[in-house]
Amino acid sequence: MKIKPLHDRILVKRLEEEEKTESGIIIPDTAKEKPVMGKVIAVGDGRILENGQKQPLAVKEGDKILFGKYAGTEVKIKGEEYLIMREDDVLAIIEE
Amino acid sequence: MKIKPLHDRILVKRLEEEEKTESGIIIPDTAKEKPVMGKVIAVGDGRILENGQKQPLAVKEGDKILFGKYAGTEVKIKGEEYLIMREDDVLAIIEE
Amino acid sequence: MKIKPLHDRILVKRLEEEEKTESGIIIPDTAKEKPVMGKVIAVGDGRILENGQKQPLAVKEGDKILFGKYAGTEVKIKGEEYLIMREDDVLAIIEE
Amino acid sequence: MKIKPLHDRILVKRLEEEEKTESGIIIPDTAKEKPVMGKVIAVGDGRILENGQKQPLAVKEGDKILFGKYAGTEVKIKGEEYLIMREDDVLAIIEE
Amino acid sequence: MKIKPLHDRILVKRLEEEEKTESGIIIPDTAKEKPVMGKVIAVGDGRILENGQKQPLAVKEGDKILFGKYAGTEVKIKGEEYLIMREDDVLAIIEE
Amino acid sequence: MKIKPLHDRILVKRLEEEEKTESGIIIPDTAKEKPVMGKVIAVGDGRILENGQKQPLAVKEGDKILFGKYAGTEVKIKGEEYLIMREDDVLAIIEE
Amino acid sequence: MKIKPLHDRILVKRLEEEEKTESGIIIPDTAKEKPVMGKVIAVGDGRILENGQKQPLAVKEGDKILFGKYAGTEVKIKGEEYLIMREDDVLAIIEE
C-alpha cells in the first residue's frame, strides 16, 4: 500500500529527539513539543505553473529536512504517524 | 442520473472506518468524527489556466484519496452522502 | 424581456423540493431551507483571461446544476425569484 | 459638461420603482430601499490587462443593467444622483 | 520647485464648493466635509506592468477629476494642501 | 562601510523641519511628529518581474522624495537614523 | 553536516552587539532585544518564477545583511542558534 502525494505535496516521517542530536540539529526549546525535523517518505510529481509547465520538486525520497512547526496535515498509516505538507513548507535539506 | 463535477472539482464518497483499516490508513483520533479518506466517483475535465489552456486533473475515477478534514460541500444523492471538492483539497492518492 | 448575464455570470432558477427527489438529488437537512439545485436560464458569453482571450463557459442554458448554498444575488423577474451567480459557484452539472 | 468614467468604470442612473415594473424586474423586498437596476449613462474606454492590452467593456451607453446592491460611489450632478461603478459590479444587461 | 509623482501616482488640488457648483458637480451631503473633486497638477510617467511595459496614465495635467472620498495622502506645499493618489483612485474625468 | 539596499529597496535619510520649509514642503500638522520627506542615500538594483526581467528603480541617489508616514524600517548607522523602504512607498520626487 | 536552504531561503547567523558597533551599525533601542544584523551562512539555489525560470539570489554566503526584526524561523544546530528566512526578508547588504 503506497501513499502518492499529489502535485507539490510530500509525505514526511517526523524524526524523534535522539535521531536528531546525532546529526546535530536541536530544535529550540520553545519548539520542543513539535519537532520540526523529518525524513521524506514520498514526493508528488511537481507543481503546475500558470503556463501549464510541471515544475519538479527539489526534495526527494530519503532527504532529511527542516520544516515549519505548524506545517502539514497529520495522517496515521498502519499505526505510524506521518505528515503530508507542501514543498513550500520545507525550510532546508540537511546534507550529512 | 450522473453528476458531472465542473472544471477542477471532483465527487467523492467517504470511506467508512472498517474499509480504511484493511488498507492501513487510520485517521488520527482527533479527526475521528470526520474521516478524511474517500473514493473518487467522478472528476471534472480540468482547470482552466490563465493562458486558456485546460490542465487535466491528476486524480481519476476509482482512486482512493486522502483529503483535508474540512474539504468540500456535502450533497445527498439517492439517500447517499457525497462530497464535492476541488482537486487542490486532495492530499494524496492511496495506491494499493 | 431577456436577462443577459455579463461575462462569467449565469441566471439560475432554483428547483423546488419535489422536482429534486425525482432526479434523486436531496440536499442535506442542514441545507433544507436553502436548496442548492437549480436550472440554468441564461449564461454570459465567457470569462476574459489576463491575456485578453475569452474563455466560454462550461454550463449552458437548460443544464441542471448543483451550487454553493450562499452563491449568487437574488433578483425577482415578473414575480419569479432567480439567482445571478458566477460560473465558479457551480459545483457540478446533473446529467439525467 | 460630460462625465468620462476612467478605464473599466461606468456612470449609472438608478431606475425608480415604476420604471422597473413595466420591464418586469422587481427587486426582492429585502433590497427595497436600494434598487439595483439602472441605465448606463457613460462608459470608460476599457480595462488595461497585465499584457498592456485594452479590453473594451461589454456594457454600452443606454443599456439597462442589474448591479449589486452596494456597488459604486454616489455622485450628484446638477441635482441628479448617479453612481460610478466598475463593470465587474454589473450582474446582467436587460434586453427589452 | 516641482513635485514629480512616481509611476502611477498623481498630484491633485481639491476644488472648493463654489468652483464645483458652476460645473454642476455637487457631492452628496454625506460626503460634504470631504469634497471628492479636484484638478490634476502633475502625473507620474506610468504604471509598470508585469511584462516590464510602461502603461502611460489616462489622466493628464489640468484635468478635472472625481475621486474616492478616502483617496490619497495629504501634503502641504508652500502652505497649500494637495493630495497624492494612485490613478486607480480616480473615478472619472469631467469634460467641460 | 556601505549599505546596499536589496532589489527594489532604498536607503533614505529623513529631512528635518527647517530643511523642508526652504523647499516649501510642509507636512500637515497631523503628520508633524513623523516627517515624510527625505533624501535618497542608496538604491537597490531593481525589482525582479515575474518574467525574470530586472526593472530598474525610478528614484536615484541624491533625490529628495515624499513617502508614506509609516513607510520603511528604522536603522541606525554610526549614530545616524535611516529608513530602508521599498520604492513603492515613495509618493513623489521633489525637483528643485 | 550541511544545511542547504530550499529555493529562495537563506541560513543566517545573528551578529552580536559588539561585532556590530565595529561596522557602525547599531539597531535602534526599540529593537535592542532583537538584533537585525547577521551573516549569511548558506543560500538556496533560487526562486522559481511563474514561467518556470530559476531566479538566482542576490545575497551570497559570507555577506553581512540587515533584515526585518521578525524575519525567519529559529533553528539550533550543534548548540548554535541560526535563522532560516526568505531572501525577501533581507533589507540590505553591508559592504565593508
Side-chain angles (χ1 to χ4, degrees):
Chain A
M1 190 272 305
K2 244 183 78 193
I3 304 289
K4 173 76 180 137
L6 211 64
H7 299 314
D8 62 333
R9 286 184 165 96
I10 62 175
L11 183 68
V12 176
K13 180 84 183 106
R14 274 208 198 89
L15 288 179
E16 291 328 311
E17 267 316 301
E18 315 65 44
E19 294 162 276
K20 274 184 294 169
T21 29
E22 162 269 317
S23 71
I25 308 261
I26 313 154
I27 310 311
D29 317 348
T30 51
K32 211 42 137 215
E33 82 300 359
K34 282 250 175 186
V36 286
M37 221 182 82
K39 194 174 166 196
V40 177
I41 306 300
V43 297
D45 51 11
R47 184 164 72 93
I48 312 279
L49 301 179
E50 265 311 310
N51 59 8
Q53 202 185 306
K54 186 177 281 191
Q55 180 68 31
L57 301 186
V59 295
K60 50 184 182 342
E61 220 178 286
D63 279 349
K64 264 192 188 170
I65 58 168
L66 284 172
F67 50 87
K69 244 187 340 191
Y70 304 106
T73 306
E74 283 174 19
V75 167
K76 231 183 211 163
I77 306 164
K78 298 190 171 164
E80 289 272 326
E81 258 200 17
Y82 293 86
L83 280 168
I84 298 182
M85 65 181 73
R86 293 199 192 261
E87 188 194 52
D88 199 44
D89 292 325
V90 178
L91 303 176
I93 299 172
I94 303 155
E95 296 162 349
E96 301 298 356
Chain B
M1 191 271 303
K2 245 184 77 193
I3 303 291
K4 173 77 180 135
L6 212 63
H7 299 313
D8 62 334
R9 286 184 165 96
I10 62 176
L11 182 69
V12 176
K13 180 83 183 105
R14 273 208 198 88
L15 288 178
E16 290 327 312
E17 265 319 300
E18 314 66 42
E19 293 161 278
K20 273 186 293 168
T21 31
E22 163 267 320
S23 70
I25 308 263
I26 312 153
I27 311 310
D29 318 348
T30 50
K32 210 42 132 215
E33 83 300 359
K34 281 250 175 188
V36 286
M37 220 182 81
K39 194 175 167 193
V40 177
I41 307 300
V43 297
D45 51 10
R47 183 164 72 92
I48 313 280
L49 301 180
E50 265 311 311
N51 60 8
Q53 203 184 306
K54 187 178 279 191
Q55 181 67 31
L57 302 186
V59 296
K60 51 185 181 342
E61 218 179 289
D63 279 348
K64 264 191 188 172
I65 59 168
L66 285 172
F67 50 87
K69 244 185 346 189
Y70 304 106
T73 306
E74 283 173 21
V75 168
K76 230 183 213 165
I77 306 163
K78 299 192 171 165
E80 289 273 322
E81 260 202 15
Y82 293 86
L83 279 168
I84 297 181
M85 66 181 73
R86 293 200 192 259
E87 188 194 53
D88 199 44
D89 291 325
V90 177
L91 303 176
I93 298 172
I94 303 154
E95 295 163 349
E96 302 298 358
Chain C
M1 192 270 305
K2 246 185 74 191
I3 303 291
K4 173 74 180 140
L6 212 63
H7 299 312
D8 63 333
R9 286 185 166 97
I10 62 175
L11 183 69
V12 176
K13 180 82 184 110
R14 271 208 199 91
L15 288 179
E16 290 327 314
E17 265 318 301
E18 314 67 42
E19 292 161 279
K20 273 184 295 170
T21 33
E22 163 266 320
S23 69
I25 308 264
I26 313 154
I27 311 309
D29 318 348
T30 51
K32 208 45 133 211
E33 83 300 0
K34 282 252 174 186
V36 287
M37 221 182 81
K39 194 176 166 193
V40 177
I41 307 300
V43 298
D45 51 11
R47 184 164 73 93
I48 313 281
L49 301 180
E50 266 310 312
N51 60 8
Q53 202 184 306
K54 185 178 279 191
Q55 180 68 31
L57 301 187
V59 296
K60 52 187 184 334
E61 217 179 291
D63 279 348
K64 264 193 188 172
I65 58 168
L66 285 173
F67 51 86
K69 245 185 347 188
Y70 304 107
T73 305
E74 284 173 18
V75 168
K76 229 182 211 165
I77 304 163
K78 297 191 173 167
E80 288 273 323
E81 258 201 19
Y82 294 86
L83 280 169
I84 298 182
M85 66 182 72
R86 292 198 192 261
E87 188 196 53
D88 199 44
D89 291 325
V90 177
L91 303 176
I93 298 171
I94 304 155
E95 295 163 350
E96 303 297 358
Chain D
M1 192 271 305
K2 247 185 74 192
I3 303 290
K4 174 72 182 144
L6 212 62
H7 298 312
D8 62 334
R9 286 185 166 95
I10 63 176
L11 183 69
V12 176
K13 180 83 184 106
R14 271 206 199 93
L15 288 178
E16 290 328 314
E17 265 318 299
E18 312 68 41
E19 292 160 281
K20 274 183 296 166
T21 32
E22 163 266 319
S23 69
I25 308 265
I26 314 154
I27 312 309
D29 317 351
T30 50
K32 208 48 142 204
E33 83 300 1
K34 282 254 175 185
V36 286
M37 220 182 82
K39 194 175 168 193
V40 177
I41 306 300
V43 296
D45 51 11
R47 184 164 72 92
I48 313 279
L49 301 179
E50 266 310 311
N51 60 7
Q53 201 184 305
K54 186 178 279 191
Q55 180 67 31
L57 301 187
V59 296
K60 51 188 185 331
E61 216 178 290
D63 279 348
K64 264 193 188 171
I65 59 168
L66 285 172
F67 50 86
K69 248 189 336 192
Y70 304 108
T73 305
E74 284 173 18
V75 167
K76 231 181 208 165
I77 304 163
K78 297 191 173 166
E80 289 272 322
E81 259 202 16
Y82 293 86
L83 279 169
I84 298 182
M85 65 183 73
R86 292 197 192 262
E87 188 195 53
D88 199 44
D89 292 325
V90 177
L91 303 177
I93 297 172
I94 303 155
E95 296 163 349
E96 303 296 359
Chain E
M1 191 271 305
K2 247 185 76 192
I3 304 290
K4 174 74 183 140
L6 212 62
H7 298 312
D8 62 333
R9 285 185 166 97
I10 63 175
L11 182 70
V12 176
K13 179 84 183 110
R14 271 207 199 94
L15 288 179
E16 290 327 313
E17 264 318 298
E18 313 67 41
E19 291 162 281
K20 273 181 297 167
T21 30
E22 163 266 319
S23 69
I25 310 264
I26 313 153
I27 313 308
D29 317 349
T30 49
K32 210 50 152 198
E33 81 301 1
K34 280 253 176 188
V36 286
M37 219 181 86
K39 192 173 169 195
V40 177
I41 306 300
V43 296
D45 51 12
R47 184 163 73 91
I48 313 279
L49 301 180
E50 265 311 309
N51 60 8
Q53 201 184 307
K54 187 177 280 192
Q55 181 67 33
L57 302 187
V59 296
K60 51 187 184 332
E61 215 178 290
D63 279 348
K64 264 193 189 172
I65 59 167
L66 284 173
F67 50 86
K69 246 188 337 191
Y70 304 108
T73 305
E74 283 174 18
V75 167
K76 232 181 207 166
I77 306 164
K78 298 192 172 165
E80 289 272 324
E81 259 203 15
Y82 293 86
L83 279 169
I84 298 183
M85 65 182 73
R86 292 198 191 262
E87 188 195 52
D88 199 44
D89 292 325
V90 177
L91 304 176
I93 297 172
I94 303 155
E95 294 163 351
E96 302 295 359
Chain F
M1 189 272 304
K2 246 185 76 193
I3 304 290
K4 175 73 182 140
L6 211 64
H7 298 312
D8 62 333
R9 285 184 165 98
I10 63 175
L11 183 69
V12 176
K13 179 85 183 108
R14 271 207 199 93
L15 288 179
E16 290 327 312
E17 263 319 296
E18 313 67 43
E19 291 162 280
K20 274 182 296 168
T21 29
E22 164 268 318
S23 70
I25 309 264
I26 314 153
I27 312 308
D29 317 348
T30 50
K32 209 48 141 206
E33 82 301 1
K34 280 253 175 188
V36 285
M37 220 182 84
K39 194 174 168 194
V40 177
I41 306 300
V43 296
D45 51 11
R47 184 162 73 91
I48 313 279
L49 301 179
E50 266 310 311
N51 60 7
Q53 200 185 307
K54 186 177 281 191
Q55 180 67 32
L57 302 186
V59 295
K60 51 186 184 336
E61 215 178 289
D63 279 347
K64 265 194 190 171
I65 58 168
L66 284 173
F67 50 88
K69 244 187 339 191
Y70 304 107
T73 305
E74 283 174 19
V75 167
K76 230 181 210 166
I77 305 164
K78 299 191 172 163
E80 289 272 324
E81 260 203 13
Y82 293 87
L83 280 169
I84 298 182
M85 66 182 72
R86 292 200 192 260
E87 189 196 51
D88 199 44
D89 291 325
V90 178
L91 304 176
I93 297 172
I94 303 155
E95 295 162 351
E96 302 296 356
Chain G
M1 191 273 302
K2 245 184 77 194
I3 303 290
K4 173 74 181 139
L6 211 64
H7 299 314
D8 62 333
R9 286 183 164 98
I10 62 175
L11 183 69
V12 176
K13 179 86 183 108
R14 272 207 200 91
L15 288 179
E16 291 327 313
E17 264 318 297
E18 314 66 46
E19 294 163 277
K20 274 183 294 169
T21 28
E22 164 268 318
S23 71
I25 308 265
I26 313 154
I27 311 309
D29 317 347
T30 50
K32 208 45 131 213
E33 83 299 1
K34 280 251 174 186
V36 285
M37 220 182 81
K39 194 174 166 195
V40 177
I41 307 300
V43 297
D45 51 11
R47 183 163 72 91
I48 312 279
L49 301 179
E50 265 310 312
N51 60 7
Q53 201 185 307
K54 186 177 281 191
Q55 179 68 32
L57 301 186
V59 295
K60 51 185 183 340
E61 218 178 286
D63 279 348
K64 264 193 190 169
I65 59 168
L66 285 173
F67 51 87
K69 245 189 335 191
Y70 304 107
T73 306
E74 283 174 19
V75 167
K76 230 181 210 164
I77 306 163
K78 298 190 171 164
E80 289 271 324
E81 259 200 16
Y82 293 87
L83 281 168
I84 298 182
M85 65 183 74
R86 292 199 192 261
E87 188 195 51
D88 198 44
D89 291 325
V90 177
L91 304 176
I93 298 173
I94 302 155
E95 294 162 351
E96 302 297 355

